[in-house]
Amino acid sequence: MSDVLTGPVHVVGAGLLGTSIGLAARAAGLEVWLSDANPEHLRTAISLGAGVHLPADGTPQLVVVAVPPLHIGDAVLAALETGAVVTDVGSVKALPLEQVSDQASEAALARYVGSHPMAGSERSGPLAASAALFDGRPWAVTPHVHADAAAIGLVEALVRMCGATVVRLSPVEHDLAVARTSHLPHLLAVLAASQLTEAVPEHLSLSGQGVRDVTRVAGGDPDLYGQIIRANRPAVGDLLRDVRRRLDELIAALDDGASDDLVEILNLGVAGTQAIPGKHGGPSLETAEVYVLVPDHPGELARLFADIGEIGVNVEDLHIDHDPGRPAGLVELVVEVGAAERLRAALEERNWTAHR
């Protein structure tokens, strides 16, 4: 078995991830075969150039299973029958490995290496796909103890070919990591968003960027995310119980009027945000915000960023909060703390309305 990826690659499932992998692999010069239970998805992915129909005969070098969580185990077992190396790109790794280990021979199991690209979108389906979806993104590769070294190398070759960065974890480590960084935040966003469903319009008119940031991921496909979270229920359940304990502490601090306890809990939130890696995986920068009023007209954002470029300040992040009462937006520019005041003053000199 070679760890040099030359193709063909068979992608099972032509949704967002499968089609994006096909596009990236084709861009790298590999032959890609596509299959999907949904004929419309398959036609669309092929028309986008992500690959061709799975031929009646021939053996792929690598099979990538990109199907909904409930079907991963069966799809991996079917793919192993071809004799190819097989990976899946599902969000949970321990459960599919358990399902495959129960039925596959030792030799077949050695050719299975789970993986999970940390990239995606609230949109789904092949029309949301992009060859650049994985560029610079972490992609977990989760070999089990019986995995063949060449099979691991082949999967990691695909990751690099798609422009992503390999992160090796055990299946159990991976599931705890995504429970903490993805599945739990999703569920908390759902709970926060659910509080908006019975709000009167006058209350919702006060919605700002904060509530949009907190609830954004809650708009994902409930059926898909339900499958993902159920598949990772041990890790997610433990974290939810810990959140429940902390929520009880927060309620007690509010009921008792214990300001010190409340501040201590809020400080934990600050510490958590500071623990998130900064851009390019480096340490978090100390940042500050500069707010700029931008008319909602074509070309205004381009003019703002041209001015920022001439001023010479790098924007670390940005958000736009649209004014509900007039055709303007408040652009929040996140910059290094030492550059914030210089940026504000320079923008005002250029007739922008800016404040910190």
Side-chain angles (χ1 to χ4, degrees):
M1 185 189 306
S2 171
D3 61 359
V4 178
L5 183 57
T6 58
V9 174
H10 174 199
V11 179
V12 182
L16 168 65
L17 291 182
T19 303
S20 295
I21 291 169
L23 290 169
R26 286 290 297 273
L30 293 181
E31 181 180 3
V32 178
W33 303 339
L34 298 175
S35 62
D36 196 294
N38 185 324
E40 186 175 339
H41 278 189
L42 183 59
R43 283 194 298 270
T44 302
I46 291 172
S47 70
L48 291 171
V52 299
H53 284 282
L54 176 68
D57 55 9
T59 301
Q61 184 186 19
L62 175 66
V63 179
V64 181
V65 172
V67 300
L70 285 178
H71 306 291
I72 288 175
D74 290 340
V76 168
L77 286 166
L80 286 171
E81 293 180 1
T82 67
V85 171
V86 180
T87 189
D88 75 279
V89 292
S91 300
V92 176
K93 307 298 4 148
L95 181 60
L97 175 60
E98 180 183 336
Q99 294 169 336
V100 174
S101 299
D102 286 345
Q103 300 186 56
S105 67
E106 187 175 328
L109 184 61
R111 291 184 277 107
Y112 170 53
V113 179
S115 71
H116 178 208
M118 300 305 295
S121 167
E122 287 77 48
R123 299 172 60 207
S124 61
L127 288 175
S130 168
L133 183 68
F134 311 107
D135 283 355
R137 302 297 299 169
W139 187 321
V141 176
T142 61
H144 53 87
V145 293
H146 302 295
D148 185 273
I152 299 169
L154 203 64
V155 173
E156 291 184 346
L158 173 71
V159 172
R160 290 188 289 269
M161 198 168 284
C162 289
T165 301
V166 173
V167 179
R168 267 209 206 185
L169 295 169
S170 74
V172 172
E173 286 177 320
H174 168 275
D175 288 358
L176 178 57
V178 294
R180 196 182 301 278
T181 62
S182 178
H183 303 163
L184 178 67
H186 185 96
L187 291 175
L188 297 181
V190 167
L191 294 179
S194 69
Q195 294 297 308
L196 304 175
T197 58
E198 297 181 5
V200 298
E202 291 79 9
H203 293 180
L204 294 175
S205 68
L206 300 181
S207 299
Q209 190 60 41
V211 72
R212 293 186 179 92
D213 288 344
V214 168
T215 60
R216 179 181 60 83
V217 295
D221 180 354
D223 181 63
L224 174 62
Y225 280 99
Q227 291 184 40
I228 291 170
I229 290 164
R230 283 195 298 272
N232 200 21
R233 60 183 178 272
V236 175
D238 286 344
L239 290 170
L240 282 173
R241 281 182 279 274
D242 188 56
V243 168
R244 180 172 61 187
R245 176 181 63 80
R246 292 177 182 268
L247 185 58
D248 287 339
E249 293 173 355
L250 177 58
I251 293 170
L254 289 175
D255 289 345
D256 296 343
S259 61
D260 289 346
D261 290 348
L262 178 57
V263 170
E264 183 178 343
I265 293 169
L266 295 174
N267 277 329
L268 287 173
V270 173
T273 60
Q274 292 174 344
I276 300 171
K279 66 179 185 179
H280 314 309
S284 296
L285 292 173
E286 187 178 359
T287 59
E289 295 76 34
V290 176
Y291 299 89
V292 186
L293 188 67
V294 179
D296 190 10
H297 304 309
E300 290 298 309
L301 273 176
R303 182 168 69 89
L304 172 62
F305 280 99
D307 284 349
I308 294 170
E310 291 179 7
I311 294 166
V313 172
N314 190 52
V315 175
E316 305 295 334
D317 203 353
L318 68 95
H319 308 279
I320 302 176
D321 192 5
H322 298 281
D323 193 322
R326 51 185 173 164
L330 191 65
V331 176
E332 176 188 345
L333 304 169
V334 181
V335 299
E336 200 166 354
V337 66
E341 181 56 30
R342 177 165 67 89
L343 177 61
R344 184 205 62 76
L347 287 173
E348 287 201 334
E349 288 178 2
R350 294 166 184 253
N351 297 318
W352 292 99
T353 300
H355 70 275
R356 292 184 59 189

